[in-house]
Amino acid sequence: MQFSSLNALLADGQALIAKGPVALIFAEDPVEIASTVLHHVGARFREVIVFLPEDFTIPDEVETLAHWVRYHTLARHAVPDAVNAIIAKAPAGTWFYYCYNAEYLFFPFCEHRSIGELLAFHTEERREAMLAYVVDLYAPDLDRFPNAVSRDEAMLDRSGYYALARKDPATGHPMERQLDFFGGLRWRFEEHIPADRRKIGRTALFRSAPGVKLQDDHRFNIEEMNTYSCPWHHNLTAAIASFRTAKALKTNPGSMFDIWTFNWHNSAKFDWHSQQLMDLGLMEPGQWF
């Protein structure tokens, strides 16, 4: 289905957000829209909804695999505004996921388990959200791939990731079971990244509920939804393999001429497999075996 606006989706497409898991994909440019849709359809989301500006062409090969909403995705607060409008209309308890184009969700054992199985287990552990680490992907040769995107030759950093205690702004004390995660291109090229955009943690999977709101920093207004685990044991986490930062660094005039390559001694070829991400410590299987 196609919708002329977010309001049209909310008015005429409520059945699409009535039962999850639902993937919400926000296309900021035309790069890899089709592969992003195919990847998340393959993860077996019940519905895939793509938000894209009026002047973007819907790829023929995936037109019937997703629902398409015309939306100004580059407007200020565009993503939280859309997500929060959908939360307000969806039944409580519906699982949602959001990402951008040229981003690909991975979770433990995703090669043979579905997103529904993952979230059913996570729900049984009384969790309302799941933390994901955004793992930067980049092309190895920027002469051949000037926008830094190559799925066939994608690279990632195998080290350089770290976490710091997240401070409560009111007290300055560390917040319980919350950390700020850093690494990847946002860490190596931090001089080109605003300080408030350097974190790689994103609460990308969540259940709708009255009063729940997504904020601009990829966190929610309910603090428990921003935690990486429950108080009793480690919980599942996911990873989002993303070309988004690499694209931005090579298209932004303030950085594009300063960067000749993203490769360094800790670059490794991305295998497009969950085991590699678990081996690198970028995903946590928790108690799910």
Side-chain angles (χ1 to χ4, degrees):
M1 296 178 67
Q2 296 187 29
F3 299 90
S4 60
S5 66
L6 173 61
N7 287 336
L9 170 68
L10 298 176
D12 302 325
Q14 288 198 31
L16 303 180
I17 59 174
K19 190 171 183 180
V22 179
L24 309 174
I25 300 171
F26 293 86
E28 300 176 304
D29 55 43
V31 176
E32 295 292 345
I33 293 176
S35 69
T36 307
V37 170
L38 285 171
H39 180 88
H40 293 93
V41 168
R44 289 184 273 172
F45 279 92
R46 183 178 295 273
E47 304 290 353
V48 176
I49 303 174
V50 184
F51 297 80
L52 73 173
E54 290 282 355
D55 58 340
F56 284 20
T57 300
I58 297 173
D60 292 339
E61 63 268 38
V62 294
E63 182 176 0
T64 61
L65 299 180
H67 308 282
W68 306 86
V69 181
R70 294 299 181 180
Y71 186 68
H72 186 8
T73 55
L74 295 179
R76 187 172 176 81
H77 310 306
V79 172
D81 284 353
V83 170
N84 291 333
I86 289 170
I87 290 173
K89 284 286 187 180
T94 303
W95 277 102
F96 288 95
Y97 159 77
Y98 77 97
C99 72
Y100 302 86
N101 61 302
E103 292 193 328
Y104 309 90
L105 176 68
F106 285 82
F107 51 86
F109 323 115
C110 60
E111 290 74 24
H112 54 273
R113 296 184 186 176
S114 71
I115 186 68
E117 292 175 280
L118 173 87
L119 295 176
F121 181 85
H122 205 52
T123 302
E124 289 174 359
E125 293 207 316
R126 293 182 289 169
R127 298 290 287 166
E128 303 296 313
M130 185 183 295
L131 175 69
Y133 304 113
V134 181
V135 180
D136 290 324
L137 301 181
Y138 46 90
D141 186 338
L142 298 181
D143 290 328
R144 288 190 295 126
F145 305 104
N147 68 350
V149 177
S150 171
R151 281 176 49 81
D152 291 338
E153 301 182 34
M155 309 291 287
L156 82 169
D157 288 2
R158 61 188 176 190
S159 67
Y161 303 96
Y162 65 98
L164 298 176
R166 180 176 293 162
K167 301 290 184 65
D168 186 329
T171 66
H173 297 151
M175 301 181 74
E176 183 183 0
R177 292 173 287 115
Q178 292 195 44
L179 297 169
D180 289 327
F181 300 91
F182 302 89
L185 300 182
R186 292 171 186 257
W187 169 61
R188 288 200 281 129
F189 297 91
E190 66 176 11
E191 68 272 21
H192 298 294
I193 307 290
D196 61 349
R197 299 296 183 192
R198 294 175 187 166
K199 301 170 188 174
I200 63 170
R202 184 190 300 175
T203 306
L205 290 144
F206 62 92
R207 297 180 83 190
S208 57
V212 167
K213 289 187 180 298
L214 176 66
Q215 302 172 148
D216 275 342
D217 58 359
H218 298 295
R219 295 190 297 157
F220 283 86
N221 62 327
I222 308 299
E223 293 299 349
E224 183 62 28
M225 296 178 72
N226 302 320
T227 58
Y228 54 81
S229 71
C230 66
W232 308 285
H233 60 247
H234 290 303
N235 291 117
L236 283 155
T237 61
I240 299 172
S242 172
F243 286 105
R244 188 170 179 243
T245 299
K247 283 191 301 168
L249 287 170
K250 283 308 295 178
T251 56
N252 187 323
S255 57
M256 63 188 300
F257 299 112
D258 293 337
I259 299 172
W260 299 97
T261 182
F262 289 123
N263 282 358
W264 66 320
H265 62 282
N266 280 319
S267 293
K269 193 169 191 321
F270 183 44
D271 295 339
W272 296 94
H273 198 284
S274 63
Q275 190 62 52
Q276 182 185 28
L277 295 166
M278 286 190 284
D279 290 344
L280 292 173
L282 297 171
M283 271 194 322
E284 168 64 60
Q287 311 302 305
W288 202 37
F289 302 110

